[in-house]
Amino acid sequence: MAKPKTLYSCSHCGTQHPQWLGRCHDCGKWGTLEEEVFSPNAAKDAIPSAARNLLGVSAPASHASEKIRILGEIEPGDHTRLSSGIGELDRVLGGGFVPGSVVLLGGEPGVGKSTLALQLAARVDAASVQAGEGTRNVLYISGEESPEQVRLRAERLEEQGDGVAILAETRVEAFAEAWRDLQPKLVIVDSVQTLQTSRVESSPGSVAQVRESASLLAATAKLNTTTLVLVGHVTKDGSLAGPRVLEHLVDVVLNFEGDRNHAFRLLRASKNRFGSTQEVGVFTMAEKGLEAVDNPSELFLAEHRDGAPGSCIIPLLEGSRPMLVEIQSLVAAATYGTPRRTTIGIDDGRVALILAVLDRRTPVDLVSRDVYVNVAGGVRVNEPAADLGLALAIASSALDIPLPPRTAACGEIGLGGEVRRVSRLDLRIKELGRLGYEQLLVPPGTRAAVKKPGCTLIEVENIANVVAWLRDA
Ligand code: TYD
Ligand code: MG
C-alpha cells in the first residue's frame, strides 16, 4: 500500500508547504498551517475515471490538433440563461445563470445565504413546474441543516418549492447517484465548508477537503451542463474561510454583504465570467425572507429629517446604481484625555483625514472634542465621493448649524482642502432630482459638464468655502 502523503496547507491563502511552519511564507499569516493527509489509494477508489467527476463519464478524447479552433469560426453558442426567478440576483449575474457555470455565494454567517439559496431553489422549481418540466429539477444539498429544518424554513418563506429534491449529505461521493438519477438543472450546495471527499483524509472544512470537493463538483457540473451554486462562509477579514483557492475554480463569485443588525443586504459580484461586476442586487431581510428593493434611496431616507445639525445626504454609487444615504456626525466636548473618534459604516482612516483637513484649513475647532460618525441604515461607505458630505456633517455638528433642507453634497477632498471631482456625477444628480433634492454641493467644473441637472449645483473650490457657505446658509 502506498504511503499517505502529508502536506501543510495555509487556511488563509491555501498555499501548500512540505513541512509545518509557524508562519505562511506566502501570505505572511501566523498559525494558519493545517496538516492535510492525502491517501493515494482512496483517490483511486473514489474517483470513477481520469475525468475526475462524479458521474463516471469521461470527456470525449481528441487529439490536440483537432482541438485547435479558429476564433473567427467559432459560433458564440446560444445564450439561453437559466433565470433564477429573483430579479436582483439575475441582474448581478448578468441575466441569469449560464448552464454549466459554477457560482460561489459567499457571506458572513447569518447574513442570509441559506435563505437566498432556498428562495432560489424554490423559484427555479416553480418555474420548471410551470413550464411543464415537472418536479425534481433542483437538487438542494444541505450539509448543515436536516431536511426537516429546510422544510421549516421553506414554510416560513412561503415559497412554492414543493418539488425541490433535498439531500442531507456531506460526502461528495454520495452525491453522484442523486445527480445521475435526477439530472437536475440546478444543484445548490450549502455549504462548501461541510463537504468531504475520501480523496483527502483531513477533517471537513480544511482547505484540502474544500478544494478537492469543490473541484470534483465543478468538473461534474461542467460536464453535465448543470448550474452549480456553492455557498461558502466568509471570515471577518473578508476572505472565504480557507478556500481563496475556490475563487479561480468558479466562474462567478458573489458576495452577500450586510450588517446583521440591519435588514439591508447587498449582493455584489467580485468576479463574473459571463457579465459585468458593476451591478449590485439590493435586498431587505424581511419576515418572509429576502425581498428586492427597487428604490434603495427611499429605504435609507425614510427616517431622515431635514433641519438636524450633523446630518448630510450623499449620493453614493454602488456599481452603476446610485443611492442616497445619510451621514450623521456628533461632535461633543471630550471629558478628559485623548478625544474619542468612533465611526460606524465608514473607514476610520478616511474620517481621521477629513478631521485633520477640517482642523488645519478651516476655523472649525475639533481639538479636544469627541467625534462620532455613523452611516444610517447599516450601509458601508467606501467611496471618496462621500468626503464632502462627511466634512459637512462634522462641521454642521461642530458649529451647530443644520444644512438647508433638501440639500446634498458630493465630492472628494484632497489633503490641501481642495474639492475634487468624482465619477458618474450625472447618475448621482439624476437620482437626487428624482427624489426632490433642490441643491447639491459639487466640485468646480461640474456645471459645465452636466447638462440639465434636476437641481441647483453649488460649486465649491475648497473646504474653507464649504464652511463659509454653511455659516451663511
Ligand atoms: P441564514 O440564511 O440562515 O444565514 P446564513 O446561511 O448566511 O448563515 O439567515 C440568517 C438570519 O436571517 C437569521 O438570523 C434569521 C433571519 N431570517 C429572517 O429575518 N427572515 C426569514 O424569513 C429567514 C428565513 C431568516
Ligand atoms: Mg446557512
Side-chain angles (χ1 to χ4, degrees):
M1 195 182 143
K3 214 168 136 242
K5 199 170 144 204
T6 305
L7 280 174
Y8 298 87
S9 306
C10 171
S11 63
H12 184 254
C13 68
T15 312
Q16 293 178 328
H17 302 268
Q19 83 255 30
W20 192 86
L21 299 165
R23 180 172 186 243
C24 173
H25 286 329
D26 227 51
C27 66
K29 292 262 178 212
W30 289 91
T32 52
L33 259 54
E34 293 170 6
E35 184 176 340
E36 313 282 8
V37 184
F38 291 84
S39 156
N41 284 349
K44 261 185 248 140
D45 300 343
I47 289 130
S49 74
R52 280 192 19 113
N53 64 75
L54 291 173
L55 305 180
V57 273
S58 39
S62 57
H63 292 296
S65 56
E66 285 170 28
K67 274 193 179 165
I68 295 174
R69 309 262 304 271
I70 304 299
L71 186 60
E73 292 170 2
I74 301 171
E75 290 294 321
D78 58 349
H79 288 289
T80 37
R81 294 197 181 220
L82 172 68
S83 170
S84 66
I86 302 172
E88 296 290 302
L89 177 56
D90 279 349
R91 174 205 283 264
V92 179
L93 290 167
F97 294 105
V98 171
S101 65
V102 183
V103 178
L104 180 64
L105 173 64
E108 284 184 18
V111 73
K113 298 179 299 297
S114 302
T115 308
L116 183 64
L118 190 58
Q119 280 181 298
L120 164 66
R123 302 262 172 107
V124 173
D125 173 66
S128 302
V129 171
Q130 207 160 40
E133 293 165 7
T135 58
R136 298 162 176 241
N137 276 306
V138 182
L139 175 60
Y140 186 99
I141 299 167
S142 171
E144 290 181 351
E145 291 159 346
S146 68
E148 289 74 20
Q149 280 172 306
V150 179
R151 171 76 193 161
L152 270 179
R153 190 194 292 261
E155 272 175 16
R156 177 171 179 188
L157 297 175
E158 293 183 10
E159 294 275 353
Q160 313 227 299
D162 291 347
V164 177
I166 309 277
L167 177 65
E169 180 61 74
T170 57
R171 286 172 308 117
V172 172
E173 285 76 15
F175 303 168
E177 203 182 311
W179 202 318
R180 209 177 292 128
D181 291 352
L182 300 174
Q183 293 290 331
K185 277 201 259 189
L186 172 66
V187 175
I188 298 172
V189 179
D190 186 8
S191 67
V192 280
Q193 273 90 2
T194 59
L195 293 180
Q196 48 181 328
T197 163
S198 50
R199 209 179 125 74
V200 274
E201 285 178 0
S202 39
S203 58
S206 65
V207 187
Q209 284 286 8
V210 171
R211 184 182 45 224
E212 282 303 314
S213 308
S215 67
L216 211 53
L217 289 174
T220 313
K222 286 264 176 301
L223 206 68
N224 220 28
T225 45
T226 309
T227 301
L228 174 65
V229 176
L230 301 169
V231 174
H233 296 295
V234 166
T235 49
K236 264 273 171 275
D237 64 4
S239 64
L240 273 175
R244 225 203 295 169
V245 270
L246 283 192
E247 293 194 358
H248 74 254
L249 191 113
V250 302
D251 299 306
V252 181
V253 179
L254 300 179
N255 296 311
F256 206 28
E257 300 167 6
D259 179 351
R260 249 198 286 176
N261 300 320
H262 287 96
F264 171 67
R265 301 282 183 274
L266 264 188
L267 186 68
R268 241 190 262 270
S270 59
K271 164 180 176 179
N272 192 349
R273 283 191 183 144
F274 312 112
S276 143
T277 51
Q278 286 294 305
E279 295 294 342
V280 291
V282 187
F283 296 93
T284 51
M285 180 61 96
E287 204 38 54
K288 290 175 188 158
L290 292 157
E291 285 172 9
V293 178
D294 298 325
N295 280 312
S297 305
E298 281 160 23
L299 175 79
F300 300 134
L301 299 185
E303 278 145 22
H304 169 71
R305 298 283 168 269
D306 277 331
S311 156
C312 184
I313 302 295
I314 52 166
L316 277 188
L317 206 59
E318 285 291 357
S320 59
R321 257 172 119 170
M323 46 184 86
L324 305 189
V325 300
E326 179 188 0
I327 292 198
Q328 299 177 325
S329 170
L330 183 69
V331 178
T335 36
Y336 71 96
T338 323
R340 279 185 76 133
R341 268 86 218 256
T342 305
T343 66
I344 301 170
I346 191 161
D347 180 36
D348 298 353
R350 206 79 212 166
V351 174
L353 189 148
I354 298 300
L355 286 174
V357 174
L358 269 173
D359 202 62
R360 283 293 305 276
R361 316 268 174 216
T362 73
V364 178
D365 179 23
L366 293 163
V367 180
S368 71
R369 300 179 85 179
D370 289 342
V371 178
Y372 303 90
V373 175
N374 175 36
V375 182
V379 195
R380 194 147 180 101
V381 176
N382 294 318
E383 270 195 291
D387 288 355
L388 189 56
L390 174 62
L392 261 172
I394 296 170
S396 156
S397 177
L399 302 171
D400 208 25
I401 306 172
L403 262 75
R406 313 264 90 199
T407 302
C410 183
E412 184 179 342
I413 292 178
L415 288 182
E418 77 279 14
V419 179
R420 296 166 164 254
R421 293 232 212 152
V422 300
S423 62
R424 303 310 308 269
L425 251 172
D426 50 336
L427 280 180
R428 305 178 201 249
I429 293 172
K430 215 168 125 199
E431 178 75 355
L432 284 160
R434 194 177 71 79
L435 286 157
Y437 278 75
E438 288 156 10
Q439 305 188 77
L440 176 67
L441 274 80
V442 288
T446 308
R447 245 179 304 188
V450 180
K451 309 265 172 316
K452 281 202 281 178
C455 51
T456 314
L457 302 178
I458 305 166
E459 292 188 357
V460 279
E461 290 274 322
N462 57 45
I463 194 146
N465 296 156
V466 176
V467 173
W469 171 85
L470 181 65
R471 282 213 156 111
D472 295 340

